[in-house]
Each structure stands twice: as structure tokens, then as C-alpha cells.
Amino acid sequence: MKKKLQQLDYTEGREKVMNTFSNILLERLNAGSINIFIASESETLEPVYSTLGVTSTFNANQPIFEFLLNENIQVIMRSQVLTNPSFSSVRSELIGFMNSVDAEILICVRESQKLIGVISVSSKKRNEAYTTYDFDVLNSLYSYFFLVVYYLRNIAKQDIVLILDREIEMSDQIIGAIQKNIDIVEKKVIDVDSVAFSAHQLGGDFTDFIRLSEDRYLFLIGDVSGKGLSASMSMVILKSVMHTYLSETPDFKELVVKINSFIKNNLPKGTFLAGLFGIIDFKTSTIYYLNCGIPLMSMYIDSYKNVIEIQGEGRVLGFVKNIRPFLKVRKITMNRNDIIVFTTDGLLDSKNLKGDKFGNDRVRRLIAANKTKSAKEISNAIYKTFLDYIAHEIEDDITIMTFKHI
């Protein structure tokens, strides 16, 4: 089933995706029926696909779903609800919902702490019982269920007419929707700017900021291997997975270990993530980071009036099964007027008409030349100089993250 889910072609359109996905699930589980519900902007679960013809809508904020989200439950079988004491507080309501959609299994799809969809699967044909093996398989395939629900909720709301532009248009929608979910950093002692510019052949560059407390944010700049829709979809999955793991993993290093395992075990073979994970503490002006293959980390130190590299050691995620021995948490303390710039390889490796790369040195000179400007102005100055340098359309995604102590 995993191989078939990996081969889902999201360029075929909404109806084809739903039919193909439904047939994969029904065939593998030998189930009688399936329903797919998507949460609307008004927090209503609306049926978008049903082999039973279900038309009822449900409140996505009702206590049973809040319970499942709080307990980090993604897949639940009726037998578990009936026999496990931990469900006693919501048992009757949960069984009532399952009865109303003829479900023996519910797959609850979340984005961070928000329910975005529910897939319900009926009993097996010939009254066979679902097993713990079925349960484990469904849990292991959750990332693919997330991808289908995310696609139906955010990408496939309207038909895409131009076949040649279909992949690019969907990738644009994915990247746009994902970037909108970044937590806004209110005005702090460190000015923050994060920008991404997409090439015609879209890839998987992305950034993220997640508020941990009033003064602490987790941030990420990353580049998922591959091009086009495949890389964009992997980016979508990874961002959601990171939010989910963060809610259950208080240890910074362990978070990255889990993400590496997820890439290795769940995403298509050959998927890698080059990036940097960091925690910024605005109260102490301190950044803790794990370098996982980010190609450039440059820092302008105002007291030295110079730009230095602060790379640290790093290993791209997805190559090795156990990344833990290669992870080292580093610490930087910023002072007034200090600047840090991170970029992905699309900026550094792009060449001009002579075949010369833009390179690290040019970025460092630009940081020094624009040291009196804001974080946003520094990012834009780097990008504008880059466009003038290559003198042609960009061929890879360009992502820049800038911090400036003010």
C-alpha cells in the first residue's frame, strides 16, 4: 500500500485523486466503504468523498476531536474505544460519531493542534475483524493520509485548467499556504526577516518560525531534495511532522533525531533535508542551533567590524539511520548591531553567464556593505545583487534568513 500511495499523481485532479486513494485503502483493508471529511474555514467537517453517499456535516471542534488531538491519537479503532479505559470520558460520544459515519476506524488528520480532516473506514467485508497489524500499518502511513487531506483542503479547491502549468501552480499554492502558517515574530531586540524566491522548476526550500514562549522561538531554514511537486509535497509533510513532534518532544536534539528517522523511514527513497534548526531566545539574545547541512552561516560581529563563518559541524538528514552521534548543539550570543545570515545552496551555487558561482565571499561582502540596514533590507540587497549577477532567470529556489540585533 505504501508504494501505491507514493505513486499518487496529484496533477490528475481532485476527483481522480480521491477515487484512486479510496480504492487503495479499500483494497488493502478489504473494507466495505470509506468517507473523507475536510474541515472548512468555519471549523465544520464536510464530506468531500463518500462511497456511502454521506451528506451530514459535523463540528470539528467537538470534545471528542479535542480529546484525540490532546492525546496525539491519529488512528483509532472501534474496539479500542470500547475496551480501553482511557476513552471512558468520550466513549459514548465517540462511538456515536463512528456509528453516524459507519466507521470501524477513524484516521484524524491534524496540522499542529488543529483538526483538518477525518477519514472513516467501515468494517471489513465478510465481517472479518481489524487486527493490530492493520492498526500499525495505518499509523505508519499517516504521512500519506496527511498529504491527501492537505491536498484536498488547500490545493484542490478549484480545478486547475492549464495542464502544462499544473505542477507549478499547485506547488505555488502549497508553498504559499505553508509560509502563511509561520508564527509572526513581534518586534524584538533582534530584527528577523525570512524570504523565499521560487524558480520556475519549484523545489522544496522553506522556512518556519514556531512560538515556544513569549521570548523563545524555534526556527528552521531547509531545502528538501528534489524538484517540483514531489519536493513541495515532502516539504508540506515535514513541516506538519515537525509541529507534531514538537508538541511531544521537549528535547531540541531529540526533535531533529525524530525528523531524521521520519525522512529515512517514511518519505520516498532519496529524500534528504539540508537545513538548520535553531532556538532563538530574545531575552538573552542567544541562538542555539543544530547545523544539518546548511551551506552558509555568516555573522557580522560589530565589535570586530568583520564578517566570519560560523558553520559548525552538520550532516544532511535522511542519509543515515541514526543521526544522533553527528548532532552537536552550538550557541551564539548576539550583541548590538551584530548580523547573522543563513542561505540555502540555490543562492551560492547559481552561476553567471561566465559560469562563475555567486559564492560565499560575495554574500559576506554584501553583509558588511549593508550592515547599517534592517534585516529585511539586507535580505533584499543580497537577492537584488544576485539577480544582477546571474543576469538570467533563477534556476533553483533561493531562501535567505537574516537576524540583526538592534
Side-chain angles (χ1 to χ4, degrees), residues 63-89:
I64 56 172
F65 297 124
E66 183 179 351
F67 173 86
L68 295 175
L69 289 174
N70 290 338
E71 297 297 320
N72 291 319
I73 296 172
Q74 297 165 167
V75 180
I76 182 66
M77 298 195 300
R78 180 187 291 264
S79 58
Q80 294 172 314
V81 179
L82 292 172
T83 59
N84 192 327
S86 62
F87 290 98
S88 59
S89 63

Side-chain angles (χ1 to χ4, degrees), residues 113 151 263 303 344 371 399:
Q113 280 298 107
Y151 165 80
I263 295 171
S303 59
T344 53
K371 61 182 182 292
T399 303

Side-chain angles (χ1 to χ4, degrees), residues 121-218:
V121 183
S122 72
S123 58
K124 288 193 176 192
K125 298 174 182 176
R126 298 186 296 275
N127 293 321
E128 297 176 20
Y130 287 107
T131 65
T132 54
Y133 176 75
D134 294 318
F135 177 78
D136 291 340
V137 167
L138 292 174
N139 264 304
S140 70
L141 296 173
Y142 172 77
S143 62
Y144 298 100
F145 303 143
F146 169 84
L147 188 51
V148 169
V149 169
Y150 188 94
Y151 165 80
L152 293 174
R153 187 173 191 263
N154 296 293
I155 289 93
K157 290 181 178 179
Q158 52 187 342
D159 291 335
I160 297 171
V161 179
L162 298 177
I163 296 175
L164 292 177
D165 292 336
R166 184 180 286 163
E167 180 174 321
I168 291 176
E169 184 169 346
M170 283 200 292
S171 294
D172 273 338
Q173 291 182 48
I174 294 167
I175 292 171
I178 285 296
Q179 296 291 31
K180 288 177 184 176
N181 288 331
I182 292 177
D183 286 345
I184 302 300
V185 180
E186 301 296 338
K187 189 172 182 180
K188 302 284 186 181
V189 69
I190 297 175
D191 184 23
V192 174
D193 181 64
S194 173
V195 289
F197 303 92
S198 299
H200 290 292
Q201 192 175 19
L202 295 171
D205 277 25
F206 69 110
T207 60
D208 201 3
F209 279 88
I210 304 172
R211 186 179 184 275
L212 304 177
S213 68
E214 180 66 28
D215 295 306
R216 288 165 69 90
Y217 282 73
L218 183 141

Side-chain angles (χ1 to χ4, degrees), residues 34-50:
I34 182 174
N35 303 301
I36 304 174
F37 298 87
I38 300 297
S40 67
E41 297 300 325
S42 61
E43 308 298 335
T44 300
L45 283 174
E46 300 174 348
V48 296
Y49 184 90
S50 174

